[in-house]
Amino acid sequence: MQRIAIDMDEVIADFIPKHLHVFNRDYNENLTVNDLTGTRLRELRPQFLREINAYVDDPLFFRDLAVMQDSQEVMQQLSERFEIFITTAAMEVPASFTAKYEWLKEHFPFLDEMNFVFCGDKSIIHADYLIDDHARHFERFKGKGILFTAPHNLNETGYVRVNNWLDVRDYFLR
Amino acid sequence: MQRIAIDMDEVIADFIPKHLHVFNRDYNENLTVNDLTGTRLRELRPQFLREINAYVDDPLFFRDLAVMQDSQEVMQQLSERFEIFITTAAMEVPASFTAKYEWLKEHFPFLDEMNFVFCGDKSIIHADYLIDDHARHFERFKGKGILFTAPHNLNETGYVRVNNWLDVRDYFLR
């Protein structure tokens, strides 16, 4: 059975709307996802770099992220034909461990927690496919990288791209 | 550069003495490591299975484990010639995430936390070697399994065995 490794933030967990929401609230701004095309919040507002990064150090930040549209249904279908692992660079945000674990158990109860991986350098992942929004994780990955579209990676070329979970379904199950 | 994945409990973190200490204290016993030869505490005292397992659900249980003798010095030497990843089945004990992370940062400060992996099923690990006290992790691992001696695995055959960290040094650096 082939194995698909799947990232969390901006792939199954909708990170950006919450990050923008707390930033807009605290700094009286009205930034939208469109403002992040080809960039990131910390690049758009470098004067608030420290504050922007600090949001994710809140142990609860990741606990109530929205689930990416169609990800639950499609992953349920994928899990009947593929071995599914969740592979998230949680070591970049150690405060997030518990929230990420609980979030996965809540929203993807059909997955086995023995298939959750909290790592940093994803070259350690042994899988046939890796669905991720960060192309840098594909550089030393031995399987096939599949780029999940996010505002910051719109200018990235050279990888199979999926724009949403219906694209993921079509790629693996058509 | 070849990559070595290294387990935590009973390989670099001395799990058993603390587990025995709290059990002996609470149940007025005097069990020693020798009593665990070829077995485990939960098999030796099945009537206390729930209590024995509950100790590790304390978020601080793993925070003050002793470091296995010679592991720091040898791993420091190994890290000059090999890529080192720490791969622990932390998903079996979700309460341990933070303690394990802090313990690693305290006792192995020369390791990059991007090389820490909290997982469950270690077949996800892509490495040339895996040093572990549980032979079951070698079954689907694609690299070479190296069994680190622990009381519970003394009867295990069929794998390269190292009895301590000086053996690890001799195996990789002689």
Side-chain angles (χ1 to χ4, degrees), chain A residues 40-52:
Chain A
R40 297 159 202 267
L41 182 54
R42 60 177 182 265
E43 291 164 8
L44 204 63
R45 292 290 183 271
Q47 68 272 38
F48 295 118
L49 176 64
R50 188 175 306 180
E51 293 83 354
I52 287 167

Side-chain angles (χ1 to χ4, degrees), chain A residues 84-95:
Chain A
I84 303 294
F85 277 71
I86 302 296
T87 57
T88 176
M91 293 300 153
E92 296 172 358
V93 193

Side-chain angles (χ1 to χ4, degrees), chain A residues 3 114 118 121 123-124 126, chain B residues 3 114 121 123-124 126:
Chain A
R3 175 182 290 173
M114 292 300 115
F118 292 175
D121 177 349
S123 73
I124 194 67
H126 180 75
Chain B
R3 175 181 290 173
M114 292 301 115
D121 176 350
S123 72
I124 194 67
H126 179 75

Side-chain angles (χ1 to χ4, degrees), chain B residues 81-146:
Chain B
R81 307 255 297 266
F82 295 87
E83 201 179 12
I84 304 293
F85 278 70
I86 303 296
T87 56
T88 176
M91 292 301 153
E92 296 172 358
V93 193
S96 72
F97 294 151
T98 299
K100 281 175 173 273
Y101 178 88
E102 292 176 353
W103 188 93
L104 286 168
K105 294 302 289 179
E106 177 183 351
H107 297 294
F108 294 86
F110 53 89
L111 294 179
D112 184 343
E113 69 266 24
M114 292 301 115
N115 289 14
F116 299 168
V117 184
F118 292 176
C119 59
D121 176 350
K122 293 192 185 180
S123 72
I124 194 67
I125 300 300
H126 179 75
D128 299 292
Y129 300 92
L130 170 59
I131 304 176
D132 209 295
D133 65 305
H134 288 288
R136 67 184 159 84
H137 290 307
F138 302 151
E139 286 165 19
R140 296 206 302 155
F141 176 64
K142 294 288 188 281
K144 184 174 181 65
I146 295 182

Side-chain angles (χ1 to χ4, degrees), chain B residues 137-163:
Chain B
H137 290 307
F138 302 151
E139 286 165 19
R140 296 206 302 155
F141 176 64
K142 294 288 188 281
K144 184 174 181 65
I146 295 182
L147 190 67
F148 197 96
T149 293
H152 68 81
N153 69 30
L154 287 174
N155 301 320
E156 194 79 53
T157 57
Y159 300 99
V160 170
R161 178 185 287 276
V162 288
N163 289 313

Side-chain angles (χ1 to χ4, degrees), chain A residues 133-158:
Chain A
D133 65 306
H134 288 289
R136 67 184 159 84
H137 289 308
F138 302 150
E139 286 165 19
R140 298 205 300 156
F141 176 64
K142 294 289 186 283
K144 185 175 183 62
I146 296 181
L147 190 66
F148 198 96
T149 294
H152 69 81
N153 70 29
L154 287 174
N155 301 319
E156 194 80 53
T157 57

